[in-house]
């Protein structure tokens, strides 16, 4: 039985959105070439050990920090909270949970002030902050706008062995569920959770963890993603395209997954939907539905299920990876044609009467 994280008696911090990720890279020059020259993220500032990057529409100092280090890993999943008092609330919340916390009034990265970092109950390094340096929002800098422009940070995706445990913990923290994947035995394989009014600020993917599955940046249109594919092809780095482009069933978004020089996974993402109403319906997908991960029914490459980035504790050491005990999504779907479907119960082509998503909404 799942060992659920207890609910603290103190209020959860009021989280606004996912705001930035700090990742450790082993070759700063190669990573700069990838994130700046290929993907077009904008440099706020940089030094010999760090590069601070932001997307076109961002006004806070950065959405991504590249920090040079010996082991490729993730140092922080950072969320902005609603006020300075909510940083105090975050510290009190995790201290009651018995988690290790570290508070720095000067912040952990340039451009960000008073912050608290925690080793959360799932083993992830979370950060909560409010104070931040404002920079130029580049929304109308069309002279800088590229054909594959990344306009905002959209979400994180975390790999954890026990998805129901993580779901309950994040719901206590104030996240709401938009979609999930289950089977008829009640096993949950993944869940999408949000604070801002989109499909997710983070997702939990069932697997060996804690690890970082991906960080996602949004574009305005599908053609921006296609341009990124064309550019990577022209640069002869198409081997870094892991999956896509395609259309997700879950979230409905158009997607592309690519790998940076260290193997960190980045999703380029566009056209999901609004989730802000209090009675926004939760969409549950059958794990055997061929269209849950790719709306066009394309198979998922095994590496997408098995590969992910290590995460660090507050001392900068990799967290140990715990093996998932429940069934894996890859094991029950990849290559298992007898267990998957496009139309349930042998329905003829064009018959949508048993169509799961439409029936729920």
């Amino acid at each position: 039985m799942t060992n659920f994280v207890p609910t603290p008696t103190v209020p959860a911090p009021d989280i606004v959105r996912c705001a930035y990720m700090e990742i450790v890279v082993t070759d700063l020059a190669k990573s700069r070439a990838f994130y700046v020259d290929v993907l077009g993220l904008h440099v706020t500032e940089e030094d010999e050990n760090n590069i601070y990057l932001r997307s076109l529409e961002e006004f806070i100092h950065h959405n991504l920090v590249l920090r040079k280090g010996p082991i490729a890993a993730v140092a922080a999943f950072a969320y902005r909270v609603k006020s300075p008092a909510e940083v105090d609330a975050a510290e009190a919340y995790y201290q009651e949970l018995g988690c290790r916390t570290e508070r720095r009034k000067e912040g952990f990265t340039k451009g960000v002030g008073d912050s608290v970092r925690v080793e959360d109950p799932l083993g992830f390094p979370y950060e909560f902050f409010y104070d931040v340096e404002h920079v130029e929002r580049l929304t109308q800098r069309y002279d800088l706008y590229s054909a594959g422009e990344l306009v905002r940070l959209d979400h994180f995706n975390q790999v954890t062995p026990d998805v129901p445990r993580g779901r309950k913990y994040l719901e206590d923290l104030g996240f709401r569920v938009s979609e999930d994947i289950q089977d008829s035995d009640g096993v949950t394989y993944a869940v999408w959770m949000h604070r801002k009014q989109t499909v997710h600020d983070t997702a939990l993917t069932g697997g060996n963890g804690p690890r970082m599955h991906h960080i996602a940046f949004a574009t305005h249109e599908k053609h921006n993603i296609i341009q990124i594919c064309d550019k990577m092809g022209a640069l002869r780095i198409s081997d870094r395209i892991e999956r896509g482009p395609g259309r997700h069933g879950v979230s409905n978004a158009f997607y592309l997954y690519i790998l940076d020089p260290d193997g960190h996974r980045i999703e380029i993402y566009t056209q999901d939907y609004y989730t802000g109403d209090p009675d926004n319906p939760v969409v549950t997908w059958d794990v055997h539905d061929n269209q849950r991960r790719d709306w066009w029914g394309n198979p998922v490459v095994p590496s997408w299920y098995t590969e992910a980035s290590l995460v660090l504790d507050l001392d900068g050491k990799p967290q140990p990876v715990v093996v998932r005990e429940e069934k894996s999504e890859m094991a029950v779907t990849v290559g298992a044609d007898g267990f998957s479907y496009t139309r349930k119960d042998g329905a003829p082509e064009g018959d949508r009467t048993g169509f799961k998503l439409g029936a729920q909404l």
Side-chain angles (χ1 to χ4, degrees):
M1 184 176 178
T2 296
N3 180 24
F4 284 124
V5 177
T7 303
T9 60
V10 298
D14 191 347
I15 299 168
V16 176
R17 61 171 172 131
C18 62
Y20 82 86
M21 179 175 281
E22 180 183 356
I23 66 174
V24 180
V25 300
T26 58
D27 188 317
L28 200 58
K30 286 184 178 179
S31 293
R32 190 189 195 282
F34 183 78
Y35 285 99
V36 178
D37 300 338
V38 178
L39 293 185
L41 285 171
H42 301 274
V43 178
T44 302
E45 59 180 300
E46 58 187 319
D47 57 40
E48 62 182 7
N49 292 312
N50 303 277
I51 304 174
Y52 300 88
L53 303 171
R54 71 186 191 275
S55 51
L56 186 86
E57 296 180 356
E58 188 57 81
F59 69 91
I60 71 171
H61 188 269
H62 55 262
N63 298 129
L64 184 66
V65 180
L66 307 178
R67 175 162 61 84
K68 184 179 179 181
I71 301 173
V74 176
F77 299 73
Y79 295 92
R80 195 166 193 212
V81 294
K82 199 169 185 178
S83 71
E86 299 303 324
V87 181
D88 297 329
E91 185 175 34
Y93 189 87
Y94 283 95
Q95 286 178 347
E96 184 173 327
L97 281 175
C99 296
R100 183 181 174 190
T101 66
E102 183 178 344
R103 183 81 173 262
R104 292 188 187 177
K105 294 293 185 181
E106 73 281 6
F108 292 84
T109 64
K110 285 186 178 180
V112 176
D114 183 24
S115 311
V116 62
R117 283 191 178 180
V118 307
E119 293 174 10
D120 85 351
L122 308 183
F124 291 95
Y126 267 22
E127 176 182 314
F128 302 92
F129 72 95
Y130 174 78
D131 293 329
V132 67
E133 180 182 334
H134 286 205
V135 293
E136 180 187 4
R137 177 176 260 160
L138 301 172
T139 309
Q140 293 180 322
R141 288 296 307 273
Y142 294 107
D143 54 318
L144 301 178
Y145 190 97
S146 71
E149 191 70 39
L150 307 184
V151 295
R152 68 185 71 90
L153 172 65
D154 191 84
H155 63 265
F156 309 136
N157 189 305
Q158 307 168 229
V159 184
T160 189
D162 190 334
V163 175
R165 182 172 185 264
R167 175 179 185 157
K168 188 265 183 188
Y169 150 64
L170 287 177
E171 285 182 312
D172 284 348
L173 194 56
F175 285 79
R176 293 171 57 204
V177 175
S178 57
E179 306 201 21
D180 64 10
I181 296 175
Q182 299 185 27
D183 67 15
S184 59
D185 295 326
V187 176
T188 301
Y189 296 86
V191 62
W192 285 256
M193 308 188 75
H194 65 94
R195 286 294 300 174
K196 66 182 185 305
Q197 297 177 344
T198 63
V199 171
H200 55 323
D201 285 272
T202 197
L204 299 178
T205 294
N208 303 339
R211 295 183 296 163
M212 186 275 285
H213 191 274
H214 65 264
I215 180 174
F217 288 90
T219 64
H220 280 145
E221 300 287 348
K222 298 188 295 294
H223 67 76
N224 303 120
I225 292 176
I226 295 170
Q227 163 61 19
I228 292 170
C229 294
D230 283 339
K231 185 174 184 178
M232 293 179 71
L235 293 171
R236 292 288 178 174
I237 54 172
S238 60
D239 56 326
R240 294 190 197 169
I241 298 175
E242 181 189 33
R243 182 180 165 211
R247 172 78 69 182
H248 281 311
V250 176
S251 83
N252 195 55
F254 199 81
Y255 72 86
L256 174 71
Y257 293 96
I258 57 179
L259 303 173
D260 82 355
D262 284 292
H264 295 305
R265 183 181 291 107
I266 305 97
E267 182 182 15
I268 316 299
Y269 181 97
T270 191
Q271 299 178 345
D272 63 350
Y273 59 88
Y274 168 79
T275 59
D277 282 18
D279 57 349
N280 182 73
V282 175
V283 177
T284 294
W285 292 80
D286 188 322
V287 72
H288 300 299
D289 188 336
N290 278 331
Q291 295 183 235
R292 74 198 184 285
R293 291 292 189 182
D294 185 278
W295 187 241
W296 306 334
N298 290 320
V300 181
V301 294
S303 64
W304 193 90
Y305 285 118
T306 59
E307 301 301 317
S309 299
L310 295 172
V311 301
L312 303 179
D313 63 19
L314 296 185
D315 294 321
K317 299 176 182 177
Q319 289 277 29
V321 174
V322 177
V323 174
R324 175 177 167 89
E325 295 181 358
E326 289 192 291
K327 293 180 288 186
S328 74
E329 187 174 347
M330 184 177 77
V332 301
T333 59
V334 173
D337 293 336
F339 298 98
S340 57
Y341 67 86
T342 298
R343 293 171 299 281
K344 262 193 169 181
D345 302 321
E349 291 185 17
D351 182 352
R352 292 170 52 88
T353 57
F355 183 53
K356 195 172 187 65
L357 185 64
Q360 287 205 357
L361 298 185

